Amino acid sequence: MNKKIKNNINLDFVCFGITDACTLRCRMCHKWKEDIFIKEKTDAPALKDWKNCISSLRSIADGPVQINFGGGEPLLKQDILEIVRFSKTKRFAANVATNGYLIDEIMAGKIAVSGLDSIIISLDSLDEDTHDYLRGVKGVYRRAMDAIENLEKYGNGLYKGVCCVLYEKNLDDIPGLVEWVDNDPRLNSIYFMAVMQPNNTALDPGWYENQEFGFLWPGDPQKACSLIDKLIELKNNGSKITNETCQLEAFKLYYGHPERFVKNTKCNMDSALHISSRGDIFLCYRWGLLGNIKTDDLADVWHSKEAEKVRQDIATCKNNCHFLLNCFFKDYYPFEKIK
C-alpha cells in the first residue's frame, strides 16, 4: 500500500502506452516482439479500469493536460476511441500517435466522432522503399498516405501532423519531406525525433556502435548536424516544424557526442505519468514500478512516498534517453556547451 504525502509537483505530461501490439515490424522498435523484461502474463486493464484511471487523473491535473495515446499501435486497442471519448468528458485533450496502417475511410469517420484533438502519423521518408524498409512491412508507406487523405476527407478538421525520426537511412530525404509538409494544406505540422536504442532491447549505452543496431545511427555525425542546422533555418523561416529550436540544438549535441549527457540540470520526468499496456504506473519506465490502475488509485500513487523516492532517483539520472530528447522536452532547461 502506497503511503501518501502531499507534493506540489505539477503534472505536465501523460502517456498511456495503451497496447504493445503492432501491425508493423519496425527496425527501430522491437515492441512487437515478446517483452524481454516481463515474462509473467497478466490481463490487460478493462475499459472500466482506464476510465477510473482517467477520473483519478483529473484530480491530479491542474489546468489543461493532454493524454498521449501510444503503443505499439494504439488503434489496435479495441476500446481506444471509447477511452478517448471518456477522456474528453473529463476535459482532457487527446492525441494519438499512429503508423496510419489501420486508418481506412471507416476508421477515419470513427476517429472524427470520438472527439480526438490531434493525430500524428509516422512518416520517415517520401521514398516508399525507404519508409517501408524502416517500418519492416511492405505497403505501409501507401497506407500512411491513404490515412492522411482519409482523415482529410472524414476527419472533420482534425489536427494532423507527421513525425519523422532522423536515421542514417533517411537523412538525404528530410529536406524534401519538410518541403512537402510545408506545402500540403492537409497537414498541420512535422515533428522530428532523434534516433534512440530500439524499444524492448537490453540497455546498452554504446548501442549506436554495435553491429545489431548501429546501422540506424548516422555514419557521418557532421552530416546529421548540418541537416539539423538546415531544419533550424527552415523553422525560423516559417516552416511547419514544431520542435523548439533549443530541442534541435540538443539533437546536434547528441548526434555529435552521444556519450555525453546533454543537459546540465535534472531531467523533467518527475512531473510525468506513464501507464503501460498492463496498467502499470510509472513516472519514468526506468525508475520504479509504482502500482497498477487495476488495483491502485492513480492520485494516491502520484502523492505516495514511493513516487517521491522515484523523483529523487530521476534527479540524478544521466541517461540521454528517449524521453529526455524526444517525447517530453522542456525548452527552459539549459544545455552544456560542447567545445
Coordinates of all heavy atoms in Angstrom, one line a residue, residues 183-262:
N183 N 4.0 22.5 -47.8 CA 3.1 22.9 -49.0 C 1.9 22.0 -49.1 O 1.1 22.2 -50.0 CB 3.9 22.7 -50.3 CG 5.0 23.8 -50.4 OD1 4.7 25.0 -50.6 ND2 6.3 23.4 -50.3
D184 N 1.6 21.2 -48.1 CA 0.4 20.3 -48.1 C -0.6 20.9 -47.1 O -0.4 20.8 -45.9 CB 0.8 18.9 -47.8 CG -0.4 17.9 -48.1 OD1 -1.5 18.3 -47.9 OD2 -0.1 16.8 -48.5
P185 N -1.7 21.5 -47.6 CA -2.7 22.1 -46.7 C -3.4 21.1 -45.8 O -4.0 21.5 -44.8 CB -3.7 22.7 -47.7 CG -3.5 22.0 -48.9 CD -2.1 21.6 -49.0
R186 N -3.3 19.8 -46.1 CA -3.9 18.8 -45.2 C -3.2 18.6 -43.9 O -3.8 18.1 -42.9 CB -4.0 17.4 -45.9 CG -4.7 17.4 -47.3 CD -4.5 16.1 -48.0 NE -3.1 15.8 -48.2 CZ -2.7 14.6 -48.7 NH1 -3.5 13.6 -49.0 NH2 -1.4 14.4 -48.9
L187 N -1.9 19.0 -43.9 CA -1.1 18.7 -42.7 C -0.8 20.0 -41.9 O -0.5 21.0 -42.5 CB 0.2 18.0 -43.2 CG 0.1 16.7 -43.8 CD1 1.4 16.2 -44.4 CD2 -0.4 15.7 -42.8
N188 N -0.8 19.8 -40.6 CA -0.6 21.0 -39.7 C 0.9 21.1 -39.2 O 1.3 22.2 -38.9 CB -1.5 20.9 -38.5 CG -2.9 20.9 -38.9 OD1 -3.6 19.9 -39.0 ND2 -3.5 22.1 -39.0
S189 N 1.6 20.0 -39.2 CA 2.9 20.1 -38.6 C 3.8 18.9 -39.0 O 3.3 17.9 -39.5 CB 2.8 20.1 -37.1 OG 2.2 18.9 -36.6
I190 N 5.1 19.1 -38.8 CA 6.0 17.9 -38.8 C 6.9 18.1 -37.6 O 7.4 19.1 -37.2 CB 6.9 17.9 -40.1 CG1 7.8 16.7 -40.1 CG2 7.6 19.2 -40.3 CD1 8.5 16.5 -41.4
Y191 N 7.1 16.9 -36.9 CA 7.9 16.9 -35.7 C 9.0 15.9 -35.9 O 8.8 14.8 -36.4 CB 7.0 16.5 -34.5 CG 7.7 16.4 -33.2 CD1 7.9 17.5 -32.4 CD2 8.1 15.1 -32.7 CE1 8.6 17.4 -31.2 CE2 8.7 15.0 -31.4 CZ 9.0 16.2 -30.7 OH 9.6 16.1 -29.5
F192 N 10.2 16.2 -35.4 CA 11.4 15.3 -35.6 C 11.8 14.7 -34.3 O 11.7 15.4 -33.2 CB 12.6 16.1 -36.2 CG 12.3 16.4 -37.7 CD1 11.9 17.7 -38.1 CD2 12.5 15.4 -38.6 CE1 11.7 18.0 -39.4 CE2 12.3 15.7 -40.0 CZ 11.9 17.0 -40.4
M193 N 12.3 13.5 -34.3 CA 12.8 12.8 -33.2 C 14.2 12.3 -33.5 O 14.5 12.0 -34.6 CB 11.9 11.6 -32.8 CG 10.5 12.0 -32.4 SD 9.4 10.6 -32.0 CE 10.0 10.1 -30.4
A194 N 15.0 12.2 -32.4 CA 16.4 11.7 -32.6 C 16.3 10.2 -32.5 O 15.5 9.6 -31.7 CB 17.3 12.3 -31.5
V195 N 17.1 9.5 -33.2 CA 17.1 8.0 -33.2 C 17.7 7.6 -31.8 O 18.6 8.2 -31.2 CB 18.0 7.4 -34.3 CG1 19.4 7.9 -34.2 CG2 18.0 5.9 -34.3
M196 N 17.0 6.6 -31.2 CA 17.4 6.0 -29.9 C 17.5 4.5 -30.0 O 17.2 3.9 -31.0 CB 16.3 6.3 -28.9 CG 16.1 7.8 -28.6 SD 17.5 8.4 -27.5 CE 17.4 10.1 -27.7
Q197 N 18.1 3.9 -29.0 CA 18.2 2.5 -28.9 C 16.8 1.9 -29.0 O 15.8 2.4 -28.4 CB 18.8 2.0 -27.6 CG 18.9 0.5 -27.5 CD 19.5 0.1 -26.2 OE1 20.3 0.8 -25.5 NE2 19.3 -1.2 -25.8
P198 N 16.6 0.9 -29.9 CA 15.2 0.3 -30.1 C 14.6 -0.1 -28.8 O 15.2 -0.6 -27.8 CB 15.5 -0.9 -31.0 CG 16.7 -0.5 -31.7 CD 17.6 0.3 -30.8
N199 N 13.2 0.1 -28.7 CA 12.5 -0.3 -27.5 C 12.6 -1.8 -27.4 O 12.8 -2.6 -28.4 CB 11.0 0.0 -27.7 CG 10.7 1.5 -27.6 OD1 11.3 2.2 -26.7 ND2 10.0 2.1 -28.5
N200 N 12.4 -2.3 -26.2 CA 12.3 -3.7 -25.9 C 13.7 -4.4 -26.2 O 13.7 -5.5 -26.8 CB 11.2 -4.4 -26.6 CG 10.9 -5.8 -26.1 OD1 11.1 -6.1 -24.9 ND2 10.3 -6.7 -26.9
T201 N 14.8 -3.7 -25.9 CA 16.1 -4.3 -26.1 C 16.9 -4.0 -24.8 O 16.6 -3.0 -24.1 CB 16.8 -3.8 -27.3 OG1 17.0 -2.4 -27.2 CG2 16.1 -4.1 -28.6
A202 N 17.8 -4.9 -24.5 CA 18.6 -4.8 -23.3 C 19.4 -3.5 -23.3 O 20.1 -3.1 -24.3 CB 19.6 -5.9 -23.1
L203 N 19.4 -2.7 -22.2 CA 20.0 -1.4 -22.2 C 21.5 -1.5 -22.5 O 22.2 -2.3 -21.9 CB 19.8 -0.8 -20.8 CG 20.3 0.7 -20.6 CD1 19.7 1.6 -21.6 CD2 20.1 1.1 -19.2
D204 N 22.0 -0.7 -23.4 CA 23.4 -0.7 -23.9 C 23.8 0.7 -24.2 O 23.4 1.3 -25.2 CB 23.5 -1.6 -25.1 CG 25.0 -1.5 -25.7 OD1 25.8 -1.0 -25.0 OD2 25.2 -2.1 -26.8
P205 N 24.6 1.4 -23.3 CA 24.9 2.8 -23.5 C 25.7 3.0 -24.8 O 25.6 4.1 -25.4 CB 25.9 3.1 -22.3 CG 25.5 2.1 -21.3 CD 25.1 0.9 -22.0
G206 N 26.3 2.0 -25.4 CA 27.0 2.1 -26.6 C 26.3 1.5 -27.8 O 26.9 1.0 -28.8
W207 N 24.9 1.4 -27.7 CA 24.1 0.7 -28.7 C 24.4 1.2 -30.1 O 24.4 0.4 -31.1 CB 22.7 0.9 -28.4 CG 22.2 2.3 -28.7 CD1 22.1 3.3 -27.8 CD2 21.7 2.8 -29.9 NE1 21.7 4.5 -28.4 CE2 21.4 4.2 -29.7 CE3 21.5 2.3 -31.2 CZ2 20.9 5.0 -30.7 CZ3 21.0 3.1 -32.2 CH2 20.7 4.4 -31.9
Y208 N 24.7 2.5 -30.3 CA 24.9 3.1 -31.6 C 26.2 2.6 -32.3 O 26.4 2.8 -33.5 CB 24.9 4.6 -31.5 CG 25.8 5.1 -30.5 CD1 27.1 5.4 -30.7 CD2 25.3 5.4 -29.2 CE1 28.0 5.9 -29.7 CE2 26.2 5.8 -28.2 CZ 27.5 6.1 -28.5 OH 28.3 6.5 -27.5
E209 N 27.0 1.9 -31.6 CA 28.3 1.4 -32.1 C 28.2 -0.1 -32.4 O 29.1 -0.7 -33.0 CB 29.4 1.7 -31.2 CG 29.7 3.2 -31.0 CD 30.8 3.4 -30.0 OE1 30.9 2.7 -29.0 OE2 31.6 4.3 -30.2
N210 N 27.2 -0.8 -31.9 CA 27.2 -2.2 -32.0 C 26.6 -2.7 -33.4 O 25.9 -1.9 -34.1 CB 26.4 -2.9 -30.9 CG 24.9 -2.7 -30.9 OD1 24.3 -2.7 -31.9 ND2 24.3 -2.6 -29.7
Q211 N 26.9 -3.9 -33.7 CA 26.5 -4.4 -35.1 C 25.0 -4.5 -35.3 O 24.5 -4.3 -36.4 CB 27.2 -5.8 -35.3 CG 27.0 -6.3 -36.7 CD 27.8 -7.6 -36.9 OE1 28.4 -8.1 -36.0 NE2 27.9 -8.0 -38.2
E212 N 24.3 -4.8 -34.2 CA 22.9 -5.1 -34.3 C 22.0 -3.9 -34.7 O 21.1 -3.9 -35.5 CB 22.3 -5.7 -33.0 CG 20.9 -6.2 -33.1 CD 20.4 -6.9 -31.9 OE1 21.2 -7.0 -30.9 OE2 19.3 -7.5 -31.9
F213 N 22.4 -2.7 -34.0 CA 21.6 -1.5 -34.2 C 22.3 -0.3 -34.8 O 21.7 0.7 -35.1 CB 21.0 -1.1 -32.8 CG 20.2 -2.1 -32.1 CD1 20.5 -2.5 -30.8 CD2 19.2 -2.8 -32.8 CE1 19.8 -3.5 -30.1 CE2 18.5 -3.8 -32.1 CZ 18.8 -4.1 -30.8
G214 N 23.6 -0.5 -34.9 CA 24.5 0.6 -35.4 C 24.1 1.2 -36.8 O 24.4 2.3 -37.1
F215 N 23.4 0.4 -37.6 CA 23.0 0.8 -38.9 C 22.0 2.0 -38.9 O 21.8 2.7 -39.8 CB 22.4 -0.3 -39.7 CG 21.0 -0.8 -39.3 CD1 19.9 -0.3 -39.9 CD2 20.9 -1.7 -38.2 CE1 18.6 -0.7 -39.5 CE2 19.6 -2.1 -37.8 CZ 18.5 -1.6 -38.4
L216 N 21.3 2.1 -37.7 CA 20.4 3.2 -37.6 C 21.1 4.6 -37.4 O 20.5 5.6 -37.7 CB 19.5 3.0 -36.4 CG 18.5 1.7 -36.5 CD1 17.9 1.5 -35.1 CD2 17.5 1.9 -37.5
W217 N 22.3 4.5 -36.8 CA 23.0 5.8 -36.4 C 23.7 6.4 -37.6 O 24.4 5.7 -38.4 CB 24.0 5.4 -35.3 CG 24.7 6.6 -34.7 CD1 25.9 7.1 -35.0 CD2 24.1 7.5 -33.7 NE1 26.2 8.2 -34.3 CE2 25.1 8.5 -33.4 CE3 22.9 7.5 -33.0 CZ2 24.9 9.5 -32.5 CZ3 22.7 8.5 -32.1 CH2 23.7 9.5 -31.9
P218 N 23.6 7.7 -37.8 CA 24.3 8.4 -38.9 C 25.8 8.1 -38.9 O 26.5 8.3 -37.9 CB 24.0 9.8 -38.7 CG 22.7 9.9 -37.9 CD 22.7 8.6 -37.0
G219 N 26.3 7.6 -40.0 CA 27.7 7.3 -40.1 C 28.6 8.5 -40.1 O 29.7 8.5 -39.7
D220 N 28.0 9.7 -40.5 CA 28.7 10.9 -40.6 C 28.0 11.9 -39.6 O 27.0 12.6 -40.1 CB 28.7 11.5 -42.0 CG 29.5 12.8 -42.1 OD1 29.9 13.3 -41.1 OD2 29.7 13.3 -43.2
P221 N 28.4 12.0 -38.4 CA 27.7 12.9 -37.5 C 27.6 14.3 -37.9 O 26.6 15.0 -37.7 CB 28.5 12.8 -36.2 CG 29.2 11.5 -36.3 CD 29.5 11.3 -37.7
Q222 N 28.6 14.8 -38.6 CA 28.6 16.2 -39.1 C 27.5 16.4 -40.1 O 26.9 17.5 -40.2 CB 30.0 16.6 -39.7 CG 30.1 18.0 -40.1 CD 29.7 19.0 -39.0 OE1 30.3 18.8 -37.9 NE2 28.8 19.9 -39.2
K223 N 27.3 15.4 -40.9 CA 26.2 15.5 -41.9 C 24.9 15.6 -41.2 O 24.0 16.4 -41.6 CB 26.2 14.2 -42.8 CG 25.1 14.2 -43.8 CD 25.1 13.0 -44.7 CE 24.0 12.9 -45.7 NZ 24.1 11.7 -46.5
A224 N 24.7 14.9 -40.1 CA 23.4 15.0 -39.4 C 23.3 16.3 -38.7 O 22.2 16.9 -38.8 CB 23.4 13.9 -38.3
C225 N 24.4 16.9 -38.2 CA 24.3 18.2 -37.6 C 24.1 19.3 -38.6 O 23.3 20.2 -38.3 CB 25.6 18.4 -36.8 SG 25.9 17.4 -35.4
S226 N 24.6 19.1 -39.8 CA 24.4 20.1 -40.8 C 22.9 20.1 -41.2 O 22.3 21.2 -41.5 CB 25.3 19.9 -42.0 OG 26.7 20.0 -41.7
L227 N 22.4 18.9 -41.3 CA 20.9 18.8 -41.6 C 20.1 19.5 -40.6 O 19.1 20.2 -40.9 CB 20.5 17.3 -41.8 CG 19.0 17.1 -41.9 CD1 18.4 17.7 -43.1 CD2 18.7 15.6 -41.8
I228 N 20.4 19.3 -39.3 CA 19.7 19.9 -38.2 C 19.8 21.4 -38.3 O 18.8 22.2 -38.0 CB 20.1 19.4 -36.9 CG1 19.8 17.9 -36.8 CG2 19.4 20.1 -35.7 CD1 20.4 17.1 -35.6
D229 N 21.0 21.9 -38.7 CA 21.1 23.4 -38.9 C 20.1 23.9 -40.0 O 19.5 24.9 -39.8 CB 22.5 23.7 -39.3 CG 23.5 23.8 -38.1 OD1 23.0 24.1 -37.0 OD2 24.7 23.6 -38.3
K230 N 20.0 23.1 -41.0 CA 19.0 23.4 -42.1 C 17.6 23.4 -41.5 O 16.8 24.3 -41.9 CB 19.2 22.4 -43.2 CG 18.2 22.6 -44.4 CD 18.4 23.9 -45.1 CE 17.5 24.1 -46.3 NZ 17.7 25.4 -46.9
L231 N 17.3 22.4 -40.7 CA 15.9 22.4 -40.1 C 15.7 23.6 -39.3 O 14.6 24.2 -39.3 CB 15.8 21.1 -39.3 CG 15.8 19.8 -40.0 CD1 15.6 18.6 -39.1 CD2 14.8 19.7 -41.2
I232 N 16.7 24.1 -38.5 CA 16.5 25.3 -37.7 C 16.3 26.5 -38.6 O 15.4 27.3 -38.3 CB 17.8 25.5 -36.8 CG1 17.8 24.4 -35.8 CG2 17.7 26.9 -36.2 CD1 19.1 24.4 -35.0
E233 N 17.0 26.6 -39.7 CA 16.8 27.7 -40.6 C 15.4 27.6 -41.2 O 14.7 28.7 -41.3 CB 17.9 27.6 -41.8 CG 17.7 28.6 -42.8 CD 18.7 28.4 -44.0 OE1 19.6 27.5 -43.9 OE2 18.6 29.1 -45.0
L234 N 14.9 26.5 -41.6 CA 13.6 26.3 -42.2 C 12.5 26.7 -41.1 O 11.6 27.4 -41.4 CB 13.4 24.9 -42.6 CG 14.1 24.5 -43.9 CD1 14.0 23.0 -44.1 CD2 13.6 25.2 -45.1
K235 N 12.7 26.3 -39.9 CA 11.8 26.7 -38.8 C 11.7 28.2 -38.7 O 10.6 28.8 -38.5 CB 12.2 26.0 -37.5 CG 11.3 26.4 -36.3 CD 11.7 25.7 -35.1 CE 10.8 26.2 -33.9 NZ 9.4 25.9 -34.1
N236 N 12.9 28.8 -38.6 CA 12.9 30.2 -38.4 C 12.3 31.0 -39.6 O 12.0 32.2 -39.5 CB 14.4 30.7 -38.2 CG 14.9 30.2 -36.9 OD1 14.2 29.9 -35.9 ND2 16.3 30.1 -36.8
N237 N 12.2 30.3 -40.7 CA 11.6 31.0 -41.9 C 10.1 30.6 -42.1 O 9.6 30.7 -43.2 CB 12.4 30.6 -43.2 CG 13.7 31.4 -43.2 OD1 13.8 32.5 -42.7 ND2 14.8 30.7 -43.7
G238 N 9.5 30.0 -41.1 CA 8.1 29.8 -41.1 C 7.6 28.4 -41.5 O 6.5 28.1 -41.7
S239 N 8.6 27.4 -41.4 CA 8.2 26.0 -41.7 C 7.2 25.5 -40.6 O 7.1 26.1 -39.5 CB 9.4 25.1 -41.7 OG 9.1 23.8 -41.8
K240 N 6.5 24.4 -41.0 CA 5.6 23.8 -40.0 C 6.3 22.9 -39.0 O 5.7 22.2 -38.2 CB 4.6 22.9 -40.8 CG 3.6 23.7 -41.7 CD 2.7 22.8 -42.4 CE 1.8 23.5 -43.4 NZ 0.9 22.6 -44.2
I241 N 7.6 22.9 -38.9 CA 8.4 22.2 -37.9 C 8.0 22.7 -36.5 O 8.1 23.9 -36.2 CB 9.9 22.4 -38.1 CG1 10.3 21.8 -39.5 CG2 10.7 21.7 -37.0 CD1 11.8 22.1 -39.9
T242 N 7.6 21.7 -35.7 CA 7.1 22.1 -34.4 C 8.1 22.0 -33.2 O 7.9 22.4 -32.1 CB 5.8 21.3 -34.0 OG1 6.1 19.9 -34.1 CG2 4.7 21.7 -34.9
N243 N 9.3 21.3 -33.5 CA 10.3 21.3 -32.5 C 10.8 22.7 -32.1 O 10.9 23.5 -33.0 CB 11.5 20.5 -33.0 CG 11.2 19.1 -33.5 OD1 10.6 19.0 -34.6 ND2 11.6 18.1 -32.7
E244 N 11.0 22.9 -30.8 CA 11.6 24.2 -30.4 C 13.1 24.2 -30.9 O 13.7 23.1 -31.0 CB 11.6 24.3 -28.9 CG 10.2 24.5 -28.4 CD 9.5 25.8 -28.7 OE1 10.3 26.7 -29.1 OE2 8.3 25.8 -28.7
T245 N 13.6 25.4 -31.2 CA 15.0 25.5 -31.7 C 15.9 24.9 -30.8 O 16.9 24.2 -31.2 CB 15.3 26.9 -32.0 OG1 14.4 27.5 -33.0 CG2 16.7 27.1 -32.5
C246 N 15.7 25.1 -29.5 CA 16.7 24.5 -28.5 C 16.6 23.0 -28.5 O 17.7 22.3 -28.1 CB 16.5 25.1 -27.1 SG 14.8 24.9 -26.5
Q247 N 15.5 22.4 -28.8 CA 15.4 20.9 -28.9 C 16.3 20.5 -30.1 O 17.0 19.5 -29.9 CB 14.0 20.5 -29.0 CG 13.9 19.0 -29.1 CD 12.5 18.5 -29.3 OE1 11.6 19.2 -29.7 NE2 12.2 17.2 -28.9
L248 N 16.2 21.1 -31.2 CA 17.0 20.8 -32.3 C 18.5 21.0 -32.0 O 19.3 20.2 -32.5 CB 16.6 21.6 -33.6 CG 15.2 21.3 -34.1 CD1 14.8 22.3 -35.1 CD2 15.0 19.9 -34.6
E249 N 18.8 22.0 -31.3 CA 20.2 22.2 -30.9 C 20.7 21.0 -30.0 O 21.8 20.6 -30.1 CB 20.4 23.5 -30.1 CG 20.2 24.8 -31.0 CD 21.3 25.1 -31.9 OE1 22.4 24.3 -31.9 OE2 21.3 26.0 -32.7
A250 N 19.8 20.6 -29.1 CA 20.1 19.4 -28.3 C 20.4 18.2 -29.2 O 21.2 17.3 -28.8 CB 19.0 19.2 -27.3
F251 N 19.6 18.0 -30.2 CA 19.8 16.9 -31.1 C 21.2 17.0 -31.7 O 21.9 15.9 -31.8 CB 18.8 16.9 -32.3 CG 17.4 16.5 -32.0 CD1 17.0 16.2 -30.7 CD2 16.5 16.4 -33.0 CE1 15.7 15.8 -30.5 CE2 15.2 16.0 -32.8 CZ 14.8 15.7 -31.5
K252 N 21.7 18.2 -32.0 CA 23.1 18.3 -32.6 C 24.1 17.8 -31.5 O 25.1 17.1 -31.9 CB 23.3 19.8 -33.0 CG 22.6 20.2 -34.2 CD 22.8 21.7 -34.5 CE 24.3 22.1 -34.6 NZ 24.5 23.5 -34.8
L253 N 23.9 18.2 -30.3 CA 24.8 17.8 -29.2 C 24.8 16.3 -29.1 O 25.9 15.6 -28.9 CB 24.5 18.4 -27.9 CG 24.5 19.9 -27.8 CD1 24.2 20.4 -26.4 CD2 25.9 20.5 -28.2
Y254 N 23.7 15.7 -29.2 CA 23.5 14.3 -29.1 C 24.1 13.5 -30.2 O 24.9 12.5 -30.0 CB 22.0 14.0 -29.0 CG 21.7 12.5 -29.0 CD1 22.0 11.6 -28.0 CD2 20.9 12.0 -30.1 CE1 21.7 10.3 -28.1 CE2 20.5 10.7 -30.2 CZ 20.9 9.8 -29.2 OH 20.6 8.5 -29.3
Y255 N 23.9 13.9 -31.5 CA 24.5 13.2 -32.6 C 26.0 13.4 -32.7 O 26.7 12.6 -33.1 CB 23.8 13.7 -33.9 CG 22.5 13.1 -34.2 CD1 21.3 13.9 -34.2 CD2 22.4 11.8 -34.5 CE1 20.1 13.3 -34.4 CE2 21.1 11.2 -34.8 CZ 20.0 11.9 -34.8 OH 18.8 11.4 -35.0
G256 N 26.4 14.6 -32.2 CA 27.9 14.8 -32.2 C 28.6 14.1 -31.1 O 29.7 13.6 -31.3
H257 N 28.0 14.0 -30.0 CA 28.6 13.3 -28.8 C 27.6 12.5 -28.0 O 27.2 12.9 -26.9 CB 29.3 14.4 -27.9 CG 30.3 15.2 -28.6 ND1 31.6 14.9 -28.7 CD2 30.2 16.4 -29.2 CE1 32.3 15.8 -29.3 NE2 31.5 16.7 -29.7
P258 N 27.2 11.4 -28.5 CA 26.1 10.6 -27.9 C 26.4 10.1 -26.5 O 25.5 9.7 -25.7 CB 25.8 9.5 -28.9 CG 27.1 9.3 -29.6 CD 27.6 10.7 -29.8
E259 N 27.7 10.0 -26.2 CA 28.1 9.5 -24.9 C 28.0 10.6 -23.8 O 28.1 10.2 -22.6 CB 29.6 9.1 -25.0 CG 30.6 10.2 -25.0 CD 30.8 10.9 -26.3 OE1 30.1 10.6 -27.3 OE2 31.6 11.9 -26.3
R260 N 27.7 11.8 -24.1 CA 27.6 12.9 -23.1 C 26.2 13.2 -22.8 O 25.3 13.1 -23.6 CB 28.3 14.2 -23.6 CG 29.7 14.0 -24.0 CD 30.3 15.4 -24.4 NE 31.6 15.3 -25.0 CZ 32.4 16.3 -25.3 NH1 31.9 17.5 -25.2 NH2 33.5 16.1 -25.9
F261 N 26.0 13.6 -21.5 CA 24.7 14.0 -21.1 C 24.4 15.4 -21.6 O 25.2 16.3 -21.3 CB 24.6 13.9 -19.6 CG 23.2 14.2 -19.0 CD1 22.2 13.3 -19.3 CD2 23.0 15.2 -18.1 CE1 20.9 13.5 -18.7 CE2 21.8 15.5 -17.5 CZ 20.7 14.6 -17.8
V262 N 23.3 15.6 -22.3 CA 23.1 16.9 -23.0 C 22.6 18.0 -22.1 O 22.6 19.1 -22.4 CB 22.2 16.8 -24.2 CG1 22.9 15.9 -25.3 CG2 20.8 16.3 -23.9

